[in-house]
Amino acid sequence: MTQDILTRNNVRVSGRGTQPMLFAHGFGCDQNMWRYVAPAFEDDYRIVLFDYVGSGKSDLGAYDAKRYATLEGYARDLLDVVHALDLRDVVLVGHSVSSMVAVLAANQEPDRFDRLVLIGPSPRYVNDDPYVGGFERADIDGLLEMMDRNYIGWAGFLAPAIVKNPDRPELGEELTASFCSTDPVVARRFAEATFLSDNRADLPRVTVPALILQCSDDMVAPREVGEYVHREMPGSTLRVMAATGHCPHLSHPEETIERMREYLQPALAG
Amino acid sequence: MSGFEALQGRVLDPLLDHAPVGFVSFADDGAITAANATLAAMLGHAPGALEGRRLETILSLGARMFYQTHFFPMVRMHGRAEEVFLVLRAADGTNVNVLCNAARVERGGAWANDCVLMEVKERAKFENELLQARREADRMRMEVQEHSEELHAINEQLEQQAIELELQQQQLQEAAAEMESQAEQLQATNDALVERGVELERQRAAADEANRAKSAFLAVMSHELRTPLNAIGGYVQLMEMGIHGPVTEAQLEALSRVARSQKHLLRLINDVLELARIESGRVDFVLETVDVAVLMADVTPMVEPQMDAKSLAFAVSVPEGTAVYADREKVQQIVINLLSNALKFTPDGGRVAVDVTRRTGEPEMVLLSVEDSGIGILPEKQASVFEPFVQVDMSRTRRSEGSGLGLAISRDLARGMGGDLAVRSEEGKGSTFTLWLPAAQPDDAA
């Protein structure tokens, strides 16, 4: 069973530390997203990376449309990995939609987690007056439309693209091979589960301390949303980054690492 | 690099400004560092108005999400992207569909993401059709997937049922085979029974035929025998009367013996004839209400002289008004027969009694019993006294005159009238014959 989960979710373990740091990727990509951030913690933590079923190099045969129709299914994937490796005292890092997956997992088994790091969290993307999520339902449809159009003849996008990594050649070609390759139907379901979810009620129940990393100019998860999450989650810390956009771990990895270290340092000292 | 420096001051190559595609270069933080005039015009902006803006400001809301979730990570990590469909937002808020090729290049110590944007108009229509077909197919695929579990369960159920049905069918086949074998046995039994029925029918017919032949034979023979016997009787009388000349004492004695033998033989013949007639169903019963007391008054004088001759005590007891519904002559015949038997088998000085009663449990019958204090009948012989030609003791037969048919005839007659005849006896102490006859109903009175 353990081996099944590790294969199913393409789990990768590295690092020289003992406390586990589990990275959960967001919608659209896979664990490769963390390649600029995760290595920075290898000396102090046991790094665990994985792909949700339907993403990256996960076992697509294990995909169950019903299970992954809601974020609960993804939270179960995350907890499956935690159990398979019997992780305890986990620092859980979630990007975008995985912030909410992390919230769901932490609420189910709070004893397993030491800290949460939520990058660009949004409990609800669609506006719900007076709540401002930043999008209307029609905008979500626009995203789905764009995904559909790009998946039509997107061989270059979907097929393993063997390209030199101009940025960090040392990571080699293999890691880039399957990046962002996703079954269109699976991607569409994940998008719907992500952008049509409403996890506002789950925030006040979180007991694990959390760091909220909010980009200064994020059009997917606007600053008001980050502040809302901070307000609703007891014991959370909000850090507004100089970084702009929605993917600071891609666009501004150094600042992301620094903010995480600042937050986690006292935990390490203790 | 010098090219990067040039871009910084909006010193784009004039050739690029006049290219028939849009061009934009942006930094990792999303800031537009350069854009050509074609793109600005495409979006309704003045040349140079785009530099310094965030790239997301010229994207539709959907495209912003797509940019963050797909486009930027891909360009950032793959270093390039090709034919990416994006929906831009023009200055007037309208959407502009474009196809985008992007490449990530290092320029002047910083990373730049260069994009070429080609507006998509006509091909969007074909794509729409393609998309619609594809969505329909996907939707159906999802439906199939969602129902596959259900179908799987149903399939399993059906398979289970099929197995059960097969089992049941096997059982039914076995049962059918069993039943067929039973049916064959039954048919065989039936055939045997039919055969046996035919055989029985044949035997019955043969027996009936034999019985009829016997009765006919007896009737004819009796008639044939009676004629010469009557002739013998008549000539003996003529000779006794001396019609043919004087007769000596010795001759009279001989004639008397001849006459006795002739009478005995004639009675025997008559009895045989009567039994034959009864058994062949040729006896008619004239049923009427018969007053038993009157009947006994008629019979008593016929037997009294013989009772007296043997010094027998003879008593008759009939309740007033007791009546039977029967053939008067036949009843009289039976009673005389029973009294004759009592006379025959009761030693001198004995006792004979006739008792007529009715039983409370059997009100529709009248019981007439003839009791004697005679020699009696052994228990094992009592059942056979009613068989034709049987007398209990052959040695006694010689002493007691009779054909041995009297009781057989009497019982046949009693039964012919709806009654019966039975015996109860104790060896050495006497016998009691009881005649059952239907009691006369009030409306039987004629």
Side-chain angles (χ1 to χ4, degrees):
Chain A
M1 183 61 194
T2 294
Q3 191 52 47
D4 290 349
I5 298 292
L6 299 185
T7 306
R8 186 191 74 182
N9 288 103
N10 187 29
V11 177
R12 303 284 154 134
V13 182
S14 61
R16 293 165 288 280
T18 51
Q19 187 178 17
M21 184 177 278
L22 176 60
F23 289 90
H25 67 82
F27 164 69
C29 294
D30 63 14
Q31 59 180 275
N32 283 299
M33 276 233 167
W34 302 109
R35 65 162 68 147
Y36 309 117
V37 169
F41 295 93
E42 281 184 340
D43 282 341
D44 301 318
Y45 293 89
R46 186 181 177 205
I47 307 298
V48 181
L49 301 172
F50 74 98
D51 295 334
Y52 289 115
V53 170
S55 302
K57 283 183 177 170
S58 66
D59 178 8
L60 207 69
Y63 187 77
D64 175 348
K66 237 182 240 169
R67 168 167 164 146
Y68 298 106
T70 65
L71 295 187
E72 273 77 12
Y74 292 92
R76 226 182 303 163
D77 264 24
L78 194 152
L79 288 171
D80 283 347
V81 172
V82 167
H83 290 155
L85 296 174
D86 194 24
L87 304 180
R88 290 163 198 282
D89 204 25
V90 179
V91 174
L92 174 56
V93 185
H95 170 235
S96 192
V97 65
S98 274
S99 301
M100 287 308 118
V101 174
V103 163
L104 293 175
N107 280 350
Q108 274 185 49
E109 298 188 38
D111 294 343
R112 290 273 183 178
F113 301 98
D114 175 39
R115 300 291 173 99
L116 304 179
V117 177
L118 311 180
I119 303 173
S122 173
R124 180 177 164 94
Y125 293 91
V126 180
N127 298 327
D128 181 20
D129 191 48
Y131 174 83
V132 178
F135 297 90
E136 294 299 335
R137 176 63 212 244
D139 302 323
I140 308 299
D141 292 338
L143 167 70
L144 298 176
E145 160 97 15
M146 212 162 313
M147 285 169 54
D148 283 344
R149 281 190 187 274
N150 279 312
Y151 288 144
I152 287 177
W154 230 7
F157 193 69
L158 293 174
I162 308 298
V163 291
K164 295 267 181 220
N165 191 329
D167 210 356
R168 297 195 172 207
E170 74 276 7
L171 289 174
E173 294 179 353
E174 202 222 346
L175 277 176
T176 66
S178 69
F179 176 70
C180 281
S181 65
T182 302
D183 180 275
V185 176
V186 172
R188 190 183 173 91
R189 281 234 147 188
F190 196 1
E192 285 171 350
T194 300
F195 293 107
L196 300 177
S197 68
D198 184 353
N199 296 99
R200 286 177 291 177
D202 298 304
L203 301 178
R205 296 174 45 219
V206 178
T207 55
V208 182
L211 169 67
I212 298 162
L213 289 182
Q214 172 69 48
C215 290
S216 57
D217 195 1
D218 185 347
M219 290 187 176
V220 175
R223 182 155 171 177
E224 309 86 75
V225 173
E227 283 167 355
Y228 175 90
V229 173
H230 172 52
R231 205 163 53 240
E232 294 292 312
M233 266 177 72
S236 65
T237 305
L238 177 67
R239 286 284 174 270
V240 179
M241 300 173 71
T244 53
H246 188 59
C247 304
H249 52 314
L250 289 182
S251 62
H252 303 78
E254 288 77 13
E255 188 190 2
T256 307
I257 293 164
E258 201 178 322
R259 290 279 178 273
M260 284 175 64
R261 281 218 171 105
E262 272 172 22
Y263 178 73
L264 296 170
Q265 215 66 51
L268 275 181
Chain B
M1 296 282 180
S2 59
F4 179 69
E5 299 297 330
L7 285 168
Q8 286 292 339
R10 165 91 198 110
V11 206
L12 211 61
D13 188 329
L15 279 175
L16 216 46
D17 263 340
H18 291 100
V21 292
F23 173 85
V24 65
S25 181
F26 64 93
D28 281 353
D29 65 3
I32 294 174
T33 52
N36 70 352
T38 315
L39 179 64
M42 202 189 288
L43 300 175
H45 290 287
L50 296 176
E51 282 87 345
R53 283 170 168 259
R54 291 279 308 281
L55 180 73
E56 284 159 304
T57 63
I58 62 166
L59 297 176
S60 68
L61 286 173
R64 288 178 192 176
M65 278 186 279
F66 189 76
Y67 167 79
Q68 292 292 351
T69 54
H70 290 82
F71 186 71
F72 176 65
M74 183 165 56
V75 176
R76 172 78 174 86
M77 299 173 75
H78 286 187
R80 58 192 288 127
E82 283 168 5
E83 288 188 56
V84 176
F85 176 84
L86 292 173
V87 180
L88 305 185
R89 169 140 312 168
D92 61 1
T94 55
N95 288 342
V96 178
N97 298 341
V98 296
L99 277 181
C100 173
N101 277 11
R104 184 172 168 83
V105 295
E106 193 174 13
R107 197 180 288 135
W111 287 98
N113 303 292
D114 292 347
C115 304
V116 173
L117 306 165
M118 185 176 79
E119 192 169 359
V120 174
K121 288 175 180 166
E122 287 304 310
R123 75 178 256 172
K125 291 177 192 168
F126 302 114
E127 281 182 4
N128 283 342
E129 285 176 22
L130 198 58
L131 261 181
Q132 201 154 352
R134 176 159 194 149
R135 278 178 191 151
E136 183 64 16
D138 284 346
R139 192 184 58 74
M140 286 168 70
R141 188 161 69 112
M142 290 307 291
E143 266 180 26
V144 167
Q145 274 178 1
E146 278 165 11
H147 285 99
S148 68
E149 207 170 304
E150 198 179 326
L151 286 171
H152 188 68
I154 290 171
N155 193 41
E156 273 183 355
Q157 272 181 5
L158 286 174
E159 273 176 13
Q160 184 60 33
Q161 284 174 2
I163 289 168
E164 279 170 20
L165 282 172
E166 202 167 323
L167 202 66
Q168 285 175 3
Q169 196 195 355
Q170 272 178 15
Q171 287 171 349
L172 283 172
Q173 274 175 354
E174 280 166 21
E178 174 69 14
M179 285 175 75
E180 202 168 321
S181 128
Q182 283 178 2
E184 276 171 17
Q185 284 176 6
L186 284 171
Q187 184 61 43
T189 307
N190 191 46
D191 288 349
L193 284 171
V194 167
E195 211 170 299
R196 186 155 166 72
V198 169
E199 173 66 12
L200 283 172
E201 179 60 29
R202 200 183 59 72
Q203 286 177 359
R204 196 178 65 80
D208 284 353
E209 182 54 36
N211 206 38
R212 269 197 300 278
K214 183 192 77 178
S215 297
F217 170 77
L218 285 173
V220 170
M221 281 309 289
S222 300
H223 181 71
E224 292 299 314
L225 288 169
R226 260 197 309 191
T227 307
L229 277 174
N230 283 332
I232 291 169
Y235 282 106
V236 166
Q237 274 183 352
L238 288 177
M239 286 176 80
E240 279 177 336
M241 289 162 72
I243 298 295
H244 299 294
V247 186
T248 66
E249 278 299 312
Q251 284 171 330
L252 271 179
E253 176 64 19
L255 283 173
S256 161
R257 290 192 180 191
V258 170
R260 278 208 303 277
S261 295
Q262 182 268 343
K263 280 178 185 152
H264 176 69
L265 206 51
L266 189 60
R267 197 162 60 239
L268 185 63
I269 300 288
N270 282 340
D271 283 355
V272 168
L273 183 61
E274 183 166 17
L275 189 65
R277 278 170 61 211
I278 295 168
E279 289 194 344
S280 58
R282 282 183 285 172
V283 172
D284 294 325
F285 293 95
V286 184
L287 299 179
E288 59 183 329
T289 297
V290 178
D291 189 311
V292 181
V294 171
L295 182 132
M296 284 313 297
D298 289 344
V299 168
T300 302
M302 298 185 198
V303 293
E304 261 179 338
Q306 289 152 288
M307 297 282 182
D308 291 342
K310 289 184 80 173
S311 305
L312 299 176
F314 182 52
V316 176
S317 163
V318 184
E320 188 77 16
T322 303
V324 295
Y325 188 65
D327 184 315
R328 183 187 302 275
E329 284 184 19
K330 304 286 192 302
V331 175
Q332 198 167 313
Q333 185 183 341
I334 295 168
V335 173
I336 289 169
N337 179 256
L338 294 176
L339 287 173
S340 300
N341 282 343
L343 268 170
K344 251 185 270 176
F345 297 110
T346 305
D348 290 2
R351 184 180 54 83
V352 174
V354 175
D355 221 6
V356 176
T357 57
R358 294 179 81 156
R359 288 186 188 169
T360 49
E362 210 173 6
E364 71 278 9
M365 300 303 281
V366 169
L367 280 67
L368 186 153
S369 59
V370 176
E371 186 183 2
D372 65 53
S373 58
I375 54 178
I377 310 167
L378 284 170
E380 62 269 26
K381 303 279 188 180
Q382 289 176 16
S384 57
V385 296
F386 299 108
E387 298 298 318
F389 305 108
V390 168
Q391 275 194 339
V392 172
D393 189 340
M394 294 312 284
S395 64
R396 288 171 186 168
T397 309
R398 282 190 293 275
R399 212 168 56 202
S400 316
E401 301 266 316
S403 63
L405 291 176
L407 284 173
I409 291 169
S410 293
R411 190 169 72 169
D412 280 354
L413 288 174
R415 288 181 175 175
M417 293 184 290
D420 206 350
L421 184 60
V423 66
R424 183 162 46 79
S425 178
E426 202 173 327
E427 176 83 359
K429 286 193 176 175
S431 305
T432 302
F433 285 85
T434 303
L435 170 66
W436 271 267
L437 286 170
Q441 303 299 314
D443 51 355
D444 288 334

